[in-house]
Amino acid sequence: MGTGQWWVVVEENRGMGDGREWKLSHSQAVGDHEAARAEALRLAREYVPAYPWSVRSRQVLRLADGSYVVIANGRTSTFHFRVQVGELVAEV
């Protein structure tokens, strides 16, 4: 059973070329599930990812589980990041 405390996390590709890897770049306790969902949508629309350096446009895709994939288009490259909501179920 969960604690009722909900979090929002952002994962994004860091590094360049073959050195790219997924990293947790933002995590935040938000409160209840509805507040976390609202914060996830806000971050999907407004979060400034490490890459591309200058985001010119973005497409925000809501997935069936309520998480988001954001495609961030820069001047010369395109990257994507994920915004997810999760319930804290243990803290040991």
Side-chain angles (χ1 to χ4, degrees):
M1 182 160 199
T3 65
Q5 184 180 34
W6 288 82
W7 287 64
V8 177
V9 296
V10 176
E11 294 178 289
E12 62 184 297
N13 275 311
R14 295 288 182 120
M16 298 298 286
D18 292 339
R20 284 189 190 181
E21 60 183 342
W22 282 101
K23 295 274 189 176
L24 184 66
S25 56
H26 176 83
S27 62
Q28 170 185 359
V30 179
D32 66 18
H33 188 231
E34 287 305 312
R37 289 180 55 179
E39 179 64 6
L41 179 56
R42 186 191 72 75
L43 287 170
R45 290 177 172 158
E46 299 175 9
Y47 180 78
V48 179
Y51 300 104
W53 289 306
S54 178
V55 176
R56 292 180 177 244
S57 66
R58 68 177 68 201
Q59 289 82 39
V60 177
L61 309 173
R62 182 176 45 231
L63 304 180
D65 66 357
S67 64
Y68 298 92
V69 171
V70 181
I71 301 166
N73 302 296
R75 187 169 156 218
T76 61
S77 61
T78 299
F79 285 77
H80 68 283
F81 62 93
R82 298 185 283 233
V83 182
Q84 300 175 320
V85 170
E87 182 183 16
L88 179 67
V89 296
E91 191 168 16
V92 293

